[in-house]
Amino acid sequence: MDTFIPAGYKSLLSIYDTQKAISLLKRLFEDRLAALLNLQRVSAPLFVDEASGLNDNLSGVERPVSFDILRSDHKAQVVQSLAKWKRLALKRYGFYPGKGIYTDMNAIRRDEEELDNIHSVYVDQWDWEKVILPENRNVDYLKSTVLDIVTAICDTQDTMQAIYPQLQSLGKLERRVSFVSSQDLEHMYPESSSKQRELLYLREHKTAFIMGIGGALESGKPHDGRAPDYDDWRLNGDILFYDELLDKALELSSMGIRVDSETLDYQLKVSGHDERRTYPYHKSLLNNELPLTIGGGIGQSRLSMLILGKCHIGEVQASIWDKETTDACEKAGVMLL
């Protein structure tokens, strides 16, 4: 594992106040997000039937955690995200255009390769999804939704800094969002990797939405991996903030307007995943039986890190770390939960 402790780092909050602040931060953000996007909180599954096709394939290489169930023929998978489940739920619950849902999503990423200050095998995020009209499937609507999410994040920071004045030393997050396509980033920094491009751009612009993730760029490689069966690769992206403490481009949200039947058909073909057409979920989508939606996930621990000025994700969530990491944190006085 690759752990970096900034020189002279010390938590701005005690462990007791950190726990209180995390709880308050989450309540504040949930309420603000729900108000801005018109979302209703719902319950969501921790696992789904493996044969349903409802689990998120992410970039296509991550192995979901699976287990059998006593006295059942079903094999269950711990969810990797709720992208598909949410869309099906919106239909089952009878939600109308302009109205959506949000929920807590907890996952295990057993194949996470970058276990460091901002990556963990435990994932906790808010998953949200909203029904939209056909005329909303455009870049302007996507950008408007991004601005609402960034507003919810910045409003939450303002309230937290009023309650905990010591957090004011962190400064304010940039409310102005710089929108840039992944192809433009490749043009700007042709010799850099996608992660390096993000950092170079965020150092200058502080808050950004990188659009168009999943499809191949002019170089022949995608900016990042995306499953072909939830986001429309032309109408999606990542919300990133510059983390000055760690000098990192911190991705807080992956989101997008979801595929319609035409886009799903195309993306299954080009990605080589035509076998998914046999899954019940995919059949329903190809037959135009599911609502058009926009949705995404917002990292709870990463948001807590950013607003509370923490240098390691283990300061705001309980997970498992190797001895090198625990020793480095202990030596630096960084308490891992």
Side-chain angles (χ1 to χ4, degrees), residues 122-148:
Y122 170 61
V123 177
D124 57 339
Q125 67 182 35
W126 291 282
D127 252 322
W128 65 275
E129 199 84 9
K130 181 177 179 180
V131 182
I132 61 175
L133 296 168
E135 52 265 36
N136 299 136
R137 298 193 79 256
N138 59 67
V139 171
D140 287 342
Y141 188 85
L142 176 65
K143 288 182 176 180
S144 174
T145 305
V146 168
L147 293 175
D148 283 338

Side-chain angles (χ1 to χ4, degrees), residues 153-154 157 171-176 207 241-242 303 306-307:
I153 291 171
C154 293
Q157 184 193 47
K172 295 292 187 182
L173 297 174
E174 177 58 68
R175 287 178 176 265
R176 291 173 297 179
T207 302
F241 287 83
Y242 179 62
L303 182 62
L306 189 64
I307 290 181

Side-chain angles (χ1 to χ4, degrees), residues 11-299:
S11 174
L12 296 171
L13 300 176
S14 68
I15 188 65
Y16 179 80
D17 282 339
T18 294
Q19 295 287 357
K20 288 181 62 179
I22 291 171
S23 178
L24 176 60
L25 183 156
K26 289 182 178 180
R27 293 198 304 272
L28 289 170
F29 178 73
E30 284 185 20
D31 289 346
R32 193 71 181 109
L33 181 74
L36 287 168
L37 296 187
N38 196 21
L39 306 177
Q40 171 68 45
R41 185 177 180 87
V42 299
S43 298
L46 176 62
F47 48 86
V48 294
D49 185 351
E50 182 180 63
S52 68
L54 284 176
N55 207 356
D56 188 350
N57 188 244
L58 300 178
S59 62
V61 299
E62 297 86 352
R63 298 171 300 156
V65 175
S66 303
F67 60 94
D68 58 3
I69 301 174
L70 186 65
R71 297 178 182 176
S72 172
D73 295 331
H74 296 283
K75 188 172 184 181
Q77 288 184 345
V78 176
V79 296
Q80 299 202 103
S81 89
L82 295 168
K84 302 185 187 94
W85 178 87
K86 292 178 297 182
R87 193 165 181 180
L88 187 62
L90 287 170
K91 178 187 178 181
R92 293 181 60 223
Y93 300 165
F95 277 63
Y96 52 84
K99 183 72 176 175
I101 59 176
Y102 78 94
T103 189
D104 286 323
M105 192 285 294
N106 298 291
I108 301 170
R109 300 279 170 82
R110 62 192 289 186
D111 291 328
E112 180 59 68
E113 295 181 351
E114 298 180 86
L115 294 176
D116 53 22
N117 292 64
I118 63 173
H119 293 90
S120 170
V121 296
Y122 170 61
V123 177
D124 57 339
Q125 67 182 35
W126 291 282
D127 252 322
W128 65 275
E129 199 84 9
K130 181 177 179 180
V131 182
I132 61 175
L133 296 168
E135 52 265 36
N136 299 136
R137 298 193 79 256
N138 59 67
V139 171
D140 287 342
Y141 188 85
L142 176 65
K143 288 182 176 180
S144 174
T145 305
V146 168
L147 293 175
D148 283 338
I149 295 172
V150 171
T151 294
I153 291 171
C154 293
D155 287 353
T156 300
Q157 184 193 47
D158 287 347
T159 303
M160 291 298 296
Q161 290 191 353
I163 296 171
Y164 296 95
Q166 57 268 55
L167 298 179
Q168 294 174 13
S169 63
L170 298 172
K172 295 292 187 182
L173 297 174
E174 177 58 68
R175 287 178 176 265
R176 291 173 297 179
V177 181
S178 179
F179 293 92
V180 62
S181 73
S182 57
Q183 185 59 71
D184 285 342
L185 277 186
E186 186 177 67
H187 288 156
M188 292 177 195
Y189 314 107
E191 303 302 319
S192 302
S193 69
S194 58
K195 292 304 178 186
Q196 290 170 338
R197 292 173 208 148
E198 292 177 354
L199 178 56
L200 292 169
Y201 193 80
L202 265 293
R203 281 174 176 165
E204 180 180 355
H205 297 279
K206 309 305 180 186
T207 302
F209 184 66
I210 299 176
M211 300 181 292
I213 297 177
L217 303 177
E218 291 176 7
S219 63
K221 299 178 180 179
H223 180 80
D224 199 359
R226 282 294 189 279
D229 45 12
Y230 60 102
D231 282 350
D232 185 326
W233 293 340
R234 303 164 302 174
L235 297 171
N236 70 352
D238 291 339
I239 300 175
L240 300 100
F241 287 83
Y242 179 62
D243 187 330
E244 187 171 354
L245 179 65
L246 296 176
D247 187 32
K248 284 185 177 291
L250 191 66
E251 178 194 322
L252 284 190
S253 177
S254 172
M255 59 169 290
I257 292 173
R258 307 307 197 187
V259 292
D260 57 12
S261 59
E262 181 179 343
T263 308
L264 176 62
D265 177 68
Y266 169 76
Q267 292 183 180
L268 287 178
K269 285 179 181 177
V270 299
S271 65
H273 287 293
D274 278 326
E275 80 283 353
R276 298 187 192 181
R277 298 173 187 274
T278 62
Y279 294 150
Y281 172 84
H282 297 71
K283 285 182 178 178
S284 295
L285 190 46
L286 289 168
N287 291 330
N288 297 305
E289 296 170 357
L290 297 180
L292 299 175
T293 63
I294 184 174
I298 303 168

